[in-house]
Amino acid sequence: MSKGDHSSKTEADLIEELERLRREQAFTNAALDAQVDTFFIFEPSTGEAIRWNRAFRKITGYSDEEITRLRAPTSYYSPTDLERAAATIRQVLDGQAGSVELDLICKDGRKVPTQYQASVINDDDGKPKYMVSIGRDMSALRRSENALQESEERLRAVFGSMAEYLMVLDHEHRVQMINRVQEGRKEDEVVGALLHEITAPENRERLLNTLGRVVEDATTEQWDATVPRPDGSIEHFSSIAAPIIVSGKVVGSVVNSRDITDRVKLEEQYQQLQKMDSIGRLAGGVAHDFNNVLTVINSYASMAIDSLREGDPLRADIQQILHAGNRASTLTRQLLAFSRKQVMEPKVLDLNEVIVELEKMLKRLIGEDIECHTMLAKDLDRVCADPGQVEQVLMNLAVNARDAMPQGGKLLIKTSNVTLRDLVAKRYVMLTVSDNGVGICAEVKEHIFEPFFTTKDVGQGTGLGLATVYGIVKQSGGNIQVTSEPGKGTTFKIYLPQVDETKTEPPTDFTTPHLHGSGTVLVVEDEKPVRILTSRILTSAGYTVLTAANGGEALLECEQRTEGIDLVLTDVVMPKMGGKELADRLAKLCPNLKVLYMSGYTDGTIGRHGLLDEDTHFIAKPFSSATLLKKIRSVLED
């Protein structure tokens, strides 16, 4: 009896135990299936699946039967990931923690990025029997990360594409982000550094105070600063800083800096150009006034010679006065060339003669520490060019050579006849100007003929010298070439077309020929000595002369005079009414009236684009008595 009771109790206990185990298993299965993360147990040696949850089935798309047939990890990962999976398995079996992210390959071919945590279940002997893998789907996180990365890349692309320099600073003014760095610096030298500590010493205090106001007072500040570059040059920046406010608190600032170096250089060039224009105006004004004086000196000297008999010892003395006056006239012409107020009047000329006449002035211009030599070809062909502009070319090239030889050196001016072949052979006169100065590097040589390009310090050059040379040579139908290397000097070669005409200017005659004439001439000149002199020359030659000190007097004289006036000799630039306006108004009173202009500087008001009109009669001061009388007769007979 008691034996039967014992057996019945044991059976009941077993049933109850089994039921408890079933409930626990059901609870465990439900708990595992309720998990969002995948749960997978397999036998590491065979890869046979032992246990898995609903999340694993759902993500992979495999049925329980298919999972039973598949083997882990080979059935679920790419060959690349399999190497990492095997390494993690070995690591876990060795008793270390295992964590790895792999792309789980699903039944439909999708790859699901999954973060795994792996562990082992040991047998009764403490040896690893099963591998437990818990995986979390990282797809949403990866999508967020990718979206964030794409957003950051777009932001950086926009940030980096901006022409200005942009910097994000923290509240201590430490650089957190920058879109570009100044040439010669590296980004890792800037990011993480305090901005005021990597700024030029002379700008630090001002920058620190400015950024301090931005952060402390939440204000926007603007300032300009000069920044030295590693190569020693200077850059100019205009900057504006604004606070970065988060949740009502200033956490830093953003600085926007614009490179205004080119603008500053243009402003400096403009100021220099204005200064040079003022100097040019002064030079032109001096030349104009001096030409009026020379007109009186040379003309009275000519008349003095006319009054002396041949052999009179005073004639030689007065001829020396005239020679000096002519040399002074050359100086005024060179001043006009400098001030660019000389009308372009191309003439057939001998370059050798121009160089010889200018050589003394060039030597004074370049200084005693530079040797100036000339090699002038015999039987040099003639060219057609404006003598004043050729002189300007030579002066500009000489000044350029002088600046390239600060410690002294040698300047060589050479002429020769050459034949160049393009489509056909053409003859040119070559003017060569060479120096043994510092030379020009290839990069600079590409820009030397560009207006305003200069390598000189501010205030020492306008950048127009060689540009003017280039323009004159091209306007004269020629070409210019430059060869140079650093330390080996510079050579300019100018090619001007040869012309067949011969130079036919007569020799200077200091005596006044018998150029008597008849007719009435109205002389309009605001300079009294010139007006009296001109009247005397014309009166002595047989002309009836009327005089006026300005345009108003000239108009009044014409209106009151009953007899006709044959010619008006008028200065170009006069107070209140200039010569051109006077001529236009006189043409309404006397349509057939002839006009001859005279001036101490041949300004562009006389002609168009710097060239004399063919129909405009003009005589440049200073003039001799003979020159004036010849011109008067020529205009009246035209």
Side-chain angles (χ1 to χ4, degrees), residues 238-393:
S238 180
S239 301
I240 184 169
I244 300 174
I245 302 175
V246 178
S247 301
K249 182 180 179 181
V250 177
V251 297
S253 61
V254 59
V255 179
N256 182 335
S257 297
R258 174 173 296 179
D259 188 343
I260 58 171
T261 304
D262 290 341
R263 190 191 77 187
V264 172
K265 286 183 178 179
L266 283 174
E267 290 173 353
E268 291 172 347
Q269 289 168 353
Y270 178 67
Q271 292 172 358
Q272 180 70 4
L273 186 59
Q274 283 185 313
K275 182 178 74 175
M276 294 304 295
D277 182 64
S278 298
I279 294 173
R281 288 176 182 272
L282 175 63
V286 170
H288 168 265
D289 293 342
F290 197 35
N291 276 335
N292 283 330
V293 174
L294 287 174
T295 299
V296 176
I297 293 173
N298 290 350
S299 296
Y300 276 114
S302 295
M303 287 189 289
I305 287 181
D306 288 342
S307 65
L308 297 173
R309 56 182 174 77
E310 289 291 338
D312 192 312
L314 289 177
R315 289 181 65 91
D317 295 339
I318 297 175
Q319 283 179 347
Q320 289 301 315
I321 295 174
L322 284 171
H323 279 298
N326 287 333
R327 287 197 298 270
S329 299
T330 301
L331 289 175
T332 58
R333 188 170 66 251
Q334 289 162 356
L335 281 174
L336 290 170
F338 168 75
S339 63
R340 295 187 294 277
K341 291 195 175 194
Q342 191 174 34
V343 177
M344 183 178 177
E345 296 182 86
K347 297 178 181 178
V348 176
L349 55 86
D350 183 347
L351 276 185
N352 288 348
E353 291 183 5
V354 176
I355 294 169
V356 169
E357 291 177 3
L358 195 65
E359 187 174 359
K360 288 184 179 180
M361 182 178 180
L362 289 179
K363 289 181 177 179
R364 290 195 300 270
L365 187 67
I366 62 179
E368 297 179 355
D369 57 343
I370 296 176
E371 300 178 18
C372 181
H373 301 281
T374 58
M375 292 179 61
L376 308 180
K378 295 180 179 179
D379 301 323
L380 189 68
D381 290 336
R382 300 296 187 262
V383 297
C384 185
D386 186 309
Q389 292 194 344
V390 172
E391 291 173 351
Q392 187 173 354
V393 166

Side-chain angles (χ1 to χ4, degrees), residues 329-620:
S329 299
T330 301
L331 289 175
T332 58
R333 188 170 66 251
Q334 289 162 356
L335 281 174
L336 290 170
F338 168 75
S339 63
R340 295 187 294 277
K341 291 195 175 194
Q342 191 174 34
V343 177
M344 183 178 177
E345 296 182 86
K347 297 178 181 178
V348 176
L349 55 86
D350 183 347
L351 276 185
N352 288 348
E353 291 183 5
V354 176
I355 294 169
V356 169
E357 291 177 3
L358 195 65
E359 187 174 359
K360 288 184 179 180
M361 182 178 180
L362 289 179
K363 289 181 177 179
R364 290 195 300 270
L365 187 67
I366 62 179
E368 297 179 355
D369 57 343
I370 296 176
E371 300 178 18
C372 181
H373 301 281
T374 58
M375 292 179 61
L376 308 180
K378 295 180 179 179
D379 301 323
L380 189 68
D381 290 336
R382 300 296 187 262
V383 297
C384 185
D386 186 309
Q389 292 194 344
V390 172
E391 291 173 351
Q392 187 173 354
V393 166
L394 285 166
M395 286 191 292
N396 287 6
L397 292 179
V399 168
N400 195 72
R402 180 198 64 190
D403 294 342
M405 299 181 287
Q407 306 301 322
K410 294 182 179 180
L411 175 66
L412 174 63
I413 301 174
K414 180 180 177 181
T415 59
S416 60
N417 296 319
V418 295
T419 300
L420 300 180
R421 181 174 295 278
D422 187 7
L423 297 177
V424 295
K426 295 181 180 178
R427 288 184 59 80
Y428 291 86
V429 173
M430 182 174 70
L431 170 64
T432 305
V433 180
S434 303
D435 66 68
N436 62 347
V438 295
I440 308 171
C441 65
E443 182 180 356
V444 171
K445 191 164 63 174
E446 293 178 0
H447 303 283
I448 59 172
F449 294 121
E450 296 176 6
F452 299 115
F453 179 81
T454 179
T455 58
K456 299 174 184 177
D457 294 335
V458 176
Q460 295 186 9
T462 62
L464 294 173
L466 291 178
T468 302
V469 170
Y470 181 86
I472 291 174
V473 171
K474 287 295 183 180
Q475 192 177 11
S476 302
N479 287 292
I480 183 170
Q481 296 177 353
V482 56
T483 56
S484 183
E485 290 183 32
K488 296 185 178 180
T490 302
T491 297
F492 288 92
K493 292 183 177 180
I494 295 172
Y495 300 90
L496 296 176
Q498 172 264 344
V499 294
D500 293 331
E501 292 91 336
T502 57
K503 188 164 177 270
T504 56
E505 291 185 6
T508 302
D509 182 6
F510 296 116
T511 60
T512 303
H514 297 291
L515 292 172
H516 289 270
S518 61
T520 301
V521 178
L522 172 60
V523 177
V524 188
E525 169 61 63
D526 58 314
E527 288 287 337
K528 184 176 181 180
V530 179
R531 186 170 66 249
I532 294 173
L533 167 69
T534 306
S535 176
R536 177 176 173 179
I537 293 173
L538 295 177
T539 301
S540 64
Y543 294 98
T544 301
V545 181
L546 307 174
T547 62
N550 53 59
E553 289 185 10
L555 287 173
L556 185 63
E557 183 72 37
C558 288
E559 290 173 353
Q560 295 177 346
R561 185 170 178 79
T562 55
E563 297 180 8
I565 298 175
D566 300 297
L567 182 143
V568 173
L569 173 62
T570 177
D571 195 10
V572 176
V573 180
M574 295 182 294
K576 297 182 181 180
M577 185 187 301
K580 183 66 170 63
E581 182 183 353
L582 172 63
D584 292 340
R585 295 179 67 171
L586 288 176
K588 297 177 182 179
L589 297 174
C590 308
N592 297 322
L593 184 64
K594 294 184 178 182
V595 179
L596 172 60
Y597 295 101
M598 59 180 172
S599 182
Y601 49 68
T602 54
D603 205 344
T605 54
I606 308 162
R608 183 177 300 171
H609 305 301
L611 293 171
L612 286 173
D613 286 342
E614 292 182 0
D615 296 334
T616 300
H617 299 292
F618 177 79
I619 183 169

